Amino acid sequence: MKTWPKSYPLAFLIALLALLPFVVLFQLAADSAEIFDARNLTVLGNTLALMGLTVVGSVLIGVPLAFLTAYVQMPLRRLWLILLASPLAMPSYVGAFTLYFSFGPGGEIESLLGFSPPSVRGLWGTALVMSLYTYPFVLLTTRAALLSQDASLINASRTLGLSLGASIRRIVMPRLFNSVAAGALLAALYALSDFGTPAILGLDTFTRVIFVEYNAFGLSQAAMLSLQLMVVVILVLFLESRFKATQEQPGKHPMFYPSLKKTVLMQMAALPPFLLAVVLPLGIFIVWLLREGSGGFEWSFAWNSAYASFLAAMVAVVLALPVAHAAIRGKSGRFMERITYFGFGVPGIVMGTALVYLGLKLPFLYQTLALLVMAYVLRFLPLAVGSVRTTTENLDGGLVHAARVLGAGPREAFMRVTLPLTLRGMIAGAALVFLEAMRELPATLMLGPTGFETLATYLWRVYEAGYFGRAAMPGIMLVVISGFGLILMLSGERRAEFSINEAHQR
């Protein structure tokens, strides 16, 4: 009789835990008197409009920059990739905060430079900010696809009489569709789940209205709105699963060598997104820091952020081990792994709503650090699972078999062979969970213990109070800490590019 792998029972329990927020939301929403009203139509329209404009903006910015960093030979090419991808290292609500207080009449730009640029508010301002912080998704997925395309196809088309522009339109662009769509749908998910940016810029999307209902003690209506938002999120997740980035046989990708004048013009055209998304916010933070100092900032805020995030990272890695091992054992394990991925698609505001209600039902959990850590783990567990699973799949099974032949039992073989070899993936997964938890705003606002202030929540408090100058220290620290996540991601991208080039050389 075939027996289940020992990792299956634990993976099954973890999958059930991942479904807990949905069960809680359905139970809570049952008490709501209004399933859908006229205001919901406005909120839905705003949310869909923001998502659509974010997708368009991220594609219009990300695709040309992908061509620039993949196919154009220019000085400091690797540095340009880091600079153009660096908006990923800054939470969008940090950018929204600085742009909100910098643009428009009476803003920092007017006080520093003497002229007043248009305000960044409402739908168009929110879409601009979201595009600036999501275009790197399109940039990276499109660039990976461009690097895998073989130059011989373009050379053949040029030989047959097509111009360079026509060759790119007719040969390169059609093969990029899935990769561009994959990055654009990631941008759409980000726009759907983000709370801080529309809240700061005054746009009534689902996330902002859910938080308003929560603050007004309308948990049932907040749950109903959360479920409506999840319908849209699930639809986008489904589409994202259908548009995976295309993988081609690696080859020598095209490389263009423009003149110095054209190179400078292209670089100047590529700079505005980086200047608006990274340089301007950091510059404003530095101005505030020099003008007002650290204000009421306390280092305990940074410690609280790091402590809660560290606990979440450790718990996530421990839970990721059985899920990852179950996923490589069979179809049932892969199904359980996919269930845990639901949490990553749940916006933080939705997770917070569900767990607040759970805390009210279980008073020993309400407003405790344990409940906040649970929210982090449920949201970011897939990051740890994916990292551990990738490392585990690349292990040489012969090493474990050799250990068993030499007399080691299953537990000893795991502790002495499998676990040490999986350690790299565990550390990478823990680092990603840690960094995402540090940036999480809505779940921390809703679930943090009384008096438990983090970098993200302190930034929100000073925004609500209008003391924007005090945001300098937490803002700079969040950017620096988030930068480590960018380094991790780009190091992986660099290894992938090296593998493509190495395969071609062989």
Side-chain angles (χ1 to χ4, degrees):
M1 184 177 66
K2 185 177 180 180
T3 59
W4 272 23
K6 293 182 179 180
S7 58
Y8 271 26
L10 280 175
F12 179 72
L13 292 175
I14 295 167
L16 289 180
L17 181 64
L19 292 176
L20 179 63
F22 297 96
V23 176
V24 172
L25 283 175
F26 276 108
Q27 183 180 354
L28 181 56
D31 298 330
S32 177
E34 298 179 353
I35 296 177
F36 208 84
D37 58 18
R39 186 191 181 198
N40 287 20
L41 287 175
T42 301
V43 174
L44 176 63
N46 288 342
T47 302
L48 294 179
L50 175 61
M51 182 182 71
L53 290 173
T54 299
V55 166
V56 172
S58 63
V59 170
L60 290 177
I61 299 172
V63 171
L65 295 182
F67 274 94
L68 176 68
T69 56
Y71 283 175
V72 177
Q73 181 60 47
M74 55 183 176
L76 303 175
R77 187 161 158 252
R78 170 60 54 178
L79 176 62
W80 274 96
L81 173 62
I82 293 173
L83 293 179
L84 294 175
S86 60
L88 286 180
M90 184 178 292
S92 60
Y93 59 81
V94 171
F97 185 92
T98 53
L99 292 174
Y100 176 81
F101 286 109
S102 299
F103 284 69
E108 285 295 325
I109 292 180
E110 183 178 14
S111 64
L112 291 172
L113 303 179
F115 71 94
S116 176
S119 299
V120 179
R121 296 176 188 176
L123 174 61
W124 291 99
T126 307
L128 171 64
V129 173
M130 296 301 298
S131 299
L132 288 173
Y133 291 99
T134 57
Y135 82 79
F137 292 126
V138 179
L139 163 64
L140 294 174
T141 56
T142 306
R143 184 175 186 273
L146 288 171
L147 291 174
S148 70
Q149 293 195 15
D150 198 325
S152 60
L153 296 176
I154 294 181
N155 293 335
S157 68
R158 297 293 304 279
T159 302
L160 294 173
L162 287 179
S163 65
L164 177 60
S167 298
I168 292 176
R169 287 195 304 272
R170 298 180 62 177
I171 294 175
V172 177
M173 293 300 294
R175 293 152 65 200
L176 292 179
F177 179 79
N178 280 0
S179 297
V180 173
L185 288 169
L186 288 175
L189 280 174
Y190 192 100
L192 285 174
S193 63
D194 189 61
F195 159 74
T197 301
I200 291 172
L201 299 181
L203 180 66
D204 278 341
T205 60
F206 273 114
T207 52
R208 185 172 189 253
V209 175
I210 289 169
F211 189 71
V212 170
E213 290 289 345
Y214 162 75
N215 280 336
F217 302 101
L219 270 182
S220 296
Q221 188 62 21
M224 180 60 71
L225 291 166
S226 298
L227 290 175
Q228 292 168 9
L229 173 58
M230 283 307 303
V231 172
V232 183
V233 169
I234 290 171
L235 176 61
V236 175
L237 284 172
F238 172 75
L239 292 174
E240 194 270 339
S241 69
R242 309 296 295 178
F243 289 102
K244 293 298 182 184
T246 51
Q247 297 293 329
E248 301 188 15
Q249 290 296 323
K252 184 177 181 181
H253 57 81
M255 185 60 68
F256 304 116
Y257 299 85
S259 65
L260 178 61
K261 181 180 179 180
K262 290 182 179 179
T263 300
V264 171
L265 289 175
M266 285 188 287
Q267 289 175 339
M268 290 178 63
L271 270 179
F274 169 70
L275 294 177
L276 281 174
V278 178
V279 175
L280 177 62
L282 284 177
I284 295 297
F285 280 142
I286 291 172
V287 169
W288 288 345
L289 188 63
L290 294 175
R291 180 194 300 162
E292 302 189 26
S294 58
F297 179 79
E298 299 177 11
W299 288 102
S300 61
F301 304 156
W303 166 253
N304 290 341
S305 293
Y307 180 58
S309 302
F310 177 78
L311 291 178
M314 294 300 101
V315 174
V317 166
V318 170
L319 296 182
L321 283 171
V323 175
H325 282 275
I328 63 176
R329 294 290 183 175
K331 292 183 179 179
S332 298
R334 287 194 293 273
F335 178 71
M336 288 182 277
E337 181 204 26
R338 295 304 299 174
I339 290 176
T340 65
Y341 275 71
F342 285 162
F344 198 56
V346 177
I349 193 76
V350 175
M351 185 69 72
T353 302
L355 294 188
V356 162
Y357 182 68
L358 180 65
L360 291 172
K361 291 295 184 181
L362 303 172
F364 66 90
L365 279 177
Y366 185 64
Q367 286 195 329
T368 63
L369 184 59
L371 194 61
L372 178 60
V373 170
M374 181 189 296
Y376 290 160
V377 171
L378 290 177
R379 278 215 70 203
F380 305 124
L381 176 62
L383 297 175
V385 171
S387 185
V388 173
R389 179 186 174 183
T390 300
T391 307
T392 305
E393 284 179 328
N394 293 330
L395 293 181
D396 186 355
L399 296 176
V400 177
H401 180 70
R404 296 297 305 276
V405 169
L406 293 173
R411 179 174 298 179
E412 185 180 4
F414 175 80
M415 295 299 296
R416 300 184 63 179
V417 178
T418 305
L419 187 60
L421 294 176
T422 314
L423 191 60
R424 181 178 179 181
M426 294 169 61
I427 293 174
L432 290 173
V433 173
F434 177 87
L435 291 163
E436 288 298 325
M438 289 281 290
R439 294 151 53 115
E440 176 62 31
L441 174 61
T444 313
L445 282 172
M446 299 173 75
L447 299 170
T450 302
F452 188 84
E453 204 77 86
T454 66
L455 294 174
T457 59
Y458 180 72
L459 192 72
W460 177 258
R461 307 294 182 205
V462 298
Y463 156 72
E464 288 188 313
Y467 300 138
F468 53 89
R470 295 185 178 182
M473 280 297 293
I476 291 173
M477 292 189 70
L478 278 172
V479 172
V480 171
I481 293 168
S482 299
F484 287 107
L486 179 67
I487 293 172
L488 281 175
M489 184 180 60
L490 290 182
S491 64
E493 195 266 357
R494 183 180 178 85
R495 286 194 296 271
E497 183 178 346
F498 176 77
S499 299
I500 291 174
N501 293 334
E502 186 181 54
H504 171 71
Q505 292 171 0
R506 291 176 181 174

